[in-house]
Amino acid sequence: MTRKQRHLLTRIIVAAVLFLAGSLLHLPELAEMAVFLVCYVVVGWDIVWKAITNILHGQVFDENFLMTIATIGALILGEHSEGVAVMLFYQVGEWFQSYAVSKSRKSIASLMDIRPDYANIERDGKLVQVDPDEVQIGETIVVKPGERIPLDGTILKGFSTLDTSALTGESMPREVEPGMEVISGCINQNGLLRVRVTKEFGESTVAKILDLVENASDKKGRIENFITRFARYYTPVVVFAALALAILPPLITQQPFSTWIYRALTFLVISCPCALVISIPLSFFGGIGGASKIGVLVKGSNYLEALANTEVVVFDKTGTLTKGSFAVSEIHPVGMEEAQLLELAAYAEDYSNHPISLSIKNAYGEKIDNSRVSDVQEIAGHGVQAVIDGKTILAGNTKLMEKAHIKYTPSSAVGTVVYLACDGKYAGCIIIEDEIKADAPAAIKLLKSAGIRKTVMLTGDAQPVAQAVAQQLGLDEYHAGLLPGDKVDQIEKLLAAKQPKENLAFVGDGINDAPVLSRADVGIAMGALGSDAAIEAADVVLMDDDPAKIALAMRIARRTLRIVHQNIVFALGIKALCLLLGALGIAGMWAAIFADVGVMVIAVLNATRALYTKDLVRKSHP
């Protein structure tokens, strides 16, 4: 509880004691009135002062003005207990709302407690702590066990495991070793690391994430903007309606003015739009906070709202549905053993850092003896020729086999095929595939169960590869052989074909997909841990490689919107009923207190549900 909240709570308690004393002790009239006035000053002076200062600044019609007019009016009419009760319960509601908001902010703040306090750097032979802002690119920092990595960089020395839960929402530690990239915000768990800094603090991952979280509330959704505009016009309308209610009926019916002024004051209390103005932003804030708990950063409530209305999800293939790292899946030797064919391929490809070459060398797994290899020639667009142990080896595609007049057996396998020949004779082939992510099939099923109407995959790969991946994952549609510009064209066609009120989300790795991410209704960056391009181009950033988070984020967005709609219907419904009863004289000031403070407390309680996601997480991981 903050100091301000404690101060307000103390005033509420003191005022409540005075209110009970004035109501129950049967004091003389003047003494009772004095007790109620003291009670009113204790609990309501700040509201009256805000109303006065706002009027002086040209902001007349707000809840402070409504409460001040209504309560002072009731006191003037001699309804001391009711006037004080309105202010007392209004402040109870304000305290409750403040507590709920601070609790939500604290929950998000603890989750996003990734801002490093210092960086260890060696200067003059000593290890000193400096502000992360002071560290330059290229300098070496030391991260001890238990410390938070302060800046993005490359490990120079040391082995450890990193706790990335504050960024990804996942508890599984990540093992790191020299040569690997590390990002700020992670906690070094057990080893001493020396890291060469690759980005200044202002450009680091942690700085970008903190900026996203801090500015998410600036991007309001359609409903939130509507409520803001609604309150702007609604409040002056009800003030003039209350004024008319106080003046016109007594002039027409000759009834006492006091009766209708009391009804008008009741009308003002009921009409206060606090429940909507407070609970709607709080609901979206809770939804964004709930999403960030599971490692999903939503850049604003407008994107959360768009995500809730998404019915079509389009995926990039490489790095999104597949790992983007190639692996040997099949070996088909001719006239030799599998191990021998793989060894020849690894030696022939040793010079290259191409992903295909790396996958073959990884599958071989042994140290390459360079003395066995000579006369390596790359044949552009075909493959490679090398002399290994005195034998001439060819490794490449069908064009290489045909160019060398090698009689080979074409493979019908899905994937990239590397054909090999030894001294002019066909030696077999190796099949290499981009591996499908282990959780990708389950992610597509979860999207279907979440109500997604269509799933589509776009890829630059050949038709057979795309077809195999689409069938394995159960996708509704796929488009193969696409250049980056073709992907934008396909998105345009899908956008034109979708139904009017549904949105289309594109999920990509955030590096090469910026044009498509920005063109879709919702751009979701997949596998974005440490990717600047993803954080900047996308509307929603998934901070790990789990595609199941997409369905979970959509469930969170939809529940947030349901909570928002519940609060709107509930608040407006109760207020409309009480306004009618108040104008007819059936509902008095106590009913008005419920219509204002009671509805606000219930709406705020409902709004805080958006922050809690455990039940949705369980549904998404059956």
Side-chain angles (χ1 to χ4, degrees), residues 20-60:
L20 290 173
S23 301
L24 301 176
L25 293 181
H26 303 291
L27 298 171
E29 187 176 345
L30 285 176
E32 180 185 286
M33 184 171 68
V35 170
F36 280 129
L37 286 175
V38 171
C39 178
Y40 182 85
V41 171
V42 168
V43 78
W45 69 266
D46 56 331
I47 300 299
V48 177
W49 180 247
K50 283 178 192 174
I52 293 169
T53 53
N54 287 346
I55 289 170
L56 293 175
H57 288 95
Q59 186 184 336
V60 179

Side-chain angles (χ1 to χ4, degrees), residues 145-199:
E147 290 185 332
R148 197 175 295 279
I149 295 176
L151 296 136
D152 296 5
T154 305
I155 297 176
L156 297 177
K157 187 177 179 182
F159 297 82
S160 185
T161 54
L162 301 183
D163 177 2
T164 65
S165 58
L167 301 175
T168 66
E170 298 295 334
S171 57
M172 186 66 69
R174 176 186 171 206
E175 293 185 358
V176 292
E177 58 186 36
M180 293 182 68
E181 300 289 325
V182 292
I183 63 172
S184 48
C186 302
I187 296 174
N188 180 25
Q189 291 189 315
N190 45 39
L192 186 74
L193 296 177
R194 291 181 179 274
V195 179
R196 186 179 70 249
V197 175
T198 56
K199 292 178 188 172

Side-chain angles (χ1 to χ4, degrees), residues 275-276 279 283 563 567 570-571 598-608:
L276 290 177
S279 69
S283 300
I563 290 170
N567 282 347
F570 174 69
V599 169
M600 179 175 71
V601 169
I602 293 170
V604 166
L605 272 174
N606 193 36
T608 56

Side-chain angles (χ1 to χ4, degrees), residues 63 66 230-231 234-235 270-278 575 596:
E63 63 269 20
L66 294 181
F230 174 78
Y234 166 82
T235 307
I270 295 169
S271 66
C272 187
C274 301
L276 290 177
V277 173
I278 292 167
K575 283 188 179 293
D596 178 38

Side-chain angles (χ1 to χ4, degrees), residues 48 50 80 278 280 313 404 457 561:
V48 177
K50 283 178 192 174
H80 303 125
I278 292 167
I280 304 308
V313 180
M457 181 181 73
L561 234 61

Side-chain angles (χ1 to χ4, degrees), residues 485-564:
D486 299 329
K487 290 184 180 181
V488 177
D489 293 338
Q490 283 295 336
I491 286 290
E492 293 289 355
K493 290 177 183 177
L494 291 165
L495 285 168
K498 71 182 177 65
Q499 297 172 13
K501 291 187 178 179
E502 66 180 18
N503 288 332
L504 178 145
F506 178 80
V507 188
D509 60 16
I511 299 169
N512 302 315
D513 298 314
V516 195
L517 282 166
S518 59
R519 182 62 193 90
D521 295 317
V522 186
I524 303 174
M526 186 72 187
L529 192 61
S531 168
D532 289 342
I535 292 175
E536 290 169 7
D539 307 318
V540 178
V541 181
L542 307 185
M543 294 307 293
D544 63 4
D545 262 342
D546 185 1
K549 294 283 179 71
I550 302 166
L552 182 52
M554 287 178 177
R555 289 184 186 277
I556 290 171
R558 287 171 181 172
R559 186 171 72 173
T560 301
L561 234 61
R562 282 199 302 272
I563 290 170
V564 166

